[in-house]
Amino acid sequence: MEDPADLCQRAVDCYATDPERSYSLFREAAEAGYPNGFFGLAEMTLAGYGTQRDPLHAMDLYRVAADAGHPPSMYRLGMLYSGEGGIPEDPEQCRLWFERAAEAGMVEAYPEIGGIYMYGYGTPQDPEKAYHWYRLAAESGDPLSMFKIGYMCSEGIGTEKDEDEAIRMFRMSAMRGVPEAQFKMASLALDGRIPGGRNAAIQWYTSASESGFMPAKFNLATLYYDGVGDERDVGKAFGLYKEVADTGDGDALFMVGRMYFEGIGVERDMEKGFEYFGRAAAAGNQLAMELVQDIRRRQNTQLIRIDGL
């Protein structure tokens, strides 16, 4: 009988070029009782690659491997029981398999089980357990878990408050590109809790904005709008507000309307200003709603166009 580990390696080698052969090799390894063989069969069966797609049969194959102590199969069962792949959602089974995978050292499962305990999915909420698993995930290099540990330390959730540790974790997460952490670093700089002030805030907001994080883009626009002297750049402010407004954000729609109406950072266009005020009001911006109501009270609506209402 051939070495099942060698069969699996050969299956991996021809996976992209000859999926039917890959499936056959994984099956030979599985017939020898090798967990990676069952895992390979399950992966291909779940995807319908090299064989007919059958999520329920894939679940059975994952379970054989998981029961034999195969952490990736435990992890995959956790994912599937969360409702992926057309499998009925089962929060309790999801928690059970993610926890088994985490306890077996599957680092990808650490943040998953952390979130399960944080939000009480399939189990009562347990912030201390959530902190334990998020901490392990952060120490294993997961940037988003670093941000969550920062948040938990800053708020005293699942652990004692520790502002220095919170800032350290926010910084580590931000430097690894998590936009929420970059946004937090900007806020800390503006609040004077870390050095750098406005300049540091602009740098962090810019980094978060480049990732498409709209709250950072809005706040960056506000810094440029509110700046004094050389620090003010209303042209940049308008461009950033416009990008956020294009997503339907009511506050940004209002600011674009205001800048059109007053000719700040853009050529004055009162009609466009009123158009944006109307859209902002429809999106729930309180100032825009009050403005539109005031216009209607003065019976001027027949003279202008207010879109969205």
Side-chain angles (χ1 to χ4, degrees):
M1 179 179 294
E2 292 191 62
D3 179 7
D6 181 62
L7 290 169
C8 286
Q9 184 57 57
R10 287 161 54 196
V12 170
D13 291 343
C14 68
Y15 182 86
T17 58
D18 191 346
E20 288 79 10
R21 176 61 177 159
S22 178
Y23 183 86
S24 177
L25 290 165
F26 277 132
R27 184 172 56 195
E28 286 187 55
E31 288 170 351
Y34 193 57
N36 273 339
F38 286 102
F39 179 76
L41 287 179
E43 292 281 275
M44 299 188 78
T45 302
L46 181 66
Y49 186 69
T51 188
Q52 185 174 351
R53 186 175 187 274
D54 188 340
L56 292 178
H57 182 48
M59 290 281 284
D60 292 337
L61 293 166
Y62 284 128
R63 189 178 294 274
V64 172
D67 287 341
H70 189 252
S73 294
M74 300 172 192
Y75 178 85
R76 188 67 85 196
L77 285 169
M79 293 296 295
L80 291 172
Y81 277 120
S82 72
E84 289 196 5
I87 301 298
E89 186 178 7
D90 187 330
E92 186 175 352
Q93 285 293 309
C94 174
R95 178 197 60 78
L96 183 152
W97 286 109
F98 271 136
E99 192 154 35
R100 285 187 60 180
E103 290 172 346
M106 184 84 180
V107 296
E108 291 84 355
Y110 294 167
E112 301 290 349
I113 196 65
I116 283 171
Y117 280 116
M118 185 71 171
Y119 303 107
Y121 182 76
T123 188
Q125 285 182 288
D126 191 330
E128 291 184 1
K129 283 188 177 180
Y131 179 84
H132 167 76
W133 289 113
Y134 279 139
R135 172 63 73 175
L136 287 179
E139 292 173 353
S140 298
D142 180 52
L144 188 55
S145 293
M146 295 172 189
F147 171 75
K148 291 177 179 179
I149 287 293
Y151 170 74
M152 296 177 83
C153 287
S154 70
E155 300 297 322
I157 298 173
T159 187
E160 293 184 3
K161 281 190 176 184
D162 187 337
E163 183 170 352
D164 289 342
E165 178 65 1
I167 292 172
R168 186 178 79 88
M169 297 305 292
F170 284 139
R171 187 182 301 278
M172 289 174 62
S173 178
M175 292 178 67
R176 287 162 176 78
V178 175
E180 293 87 349
Q182 294 167 341
F183 183 91
K184 183 64 178 178
M185 291 297 292
S187 300
L188 291 169
L190 288 175
D191 291 343
R193 294 163 63 188
I194 62 172
R198 184 180 186 275
N199 289 338
I202 286 176
Q203 290 177 359
W204 285 119
Y205 279 143
T206 299
S207 296
S209 297
E210 290 171 350
S211 299
F213 192 59
M214 291 299 160
K217 196 164 288 191
F218 182 92
N219 283 14
L220 181 60
T222 301
L223 285 180
Y224 283 127
Y225 184 90
D226 290 340
V228 177
D230 292 340
E231 293 182 340
R232 194 178 196 211
D233 191 329
V234 291
K236 281 186 179 179
F238 178 83
L240 290 163
Y241 280 135
K242 180 68 165 57
E243 288 182 45
V244 183
D246 288 344
T247 71
D249 181 89
D251 293 339
L253 286 164
F254 177 80
M255 288 303 301
V256 170
R258 178 179 177 180
M259 295 179 82
Y260 268 126
F261 190 79
E262 298 180 8
I264 300 173
V266 66
E267 185 177 350
R268 190 178 189 192
D269 189 327
M270 293 179 65
E271 183 176 352
K272 278 191 177 180
F274 280 121
E275 174 190 337
Y276 274 91
F277 286 146
R279 290 171 60 189
N285 179 271
Q286 188 63 37
L287 289 174
M289 292 168 69
E290 292 172 2
L291 173 65
V292 170
Q293 289 170 2
D294 182 61
I295 291 170
R296 285 179 168 169
R297 278 195 300 269
R298 289 185 284 127
Q299 298 183 338
N300 287 334
T301 52
Q302 73 273 19
L303 302 178
I304 60 175
R305 177 184 177 191
I306 301 179
D307 284 0
L309 292 177

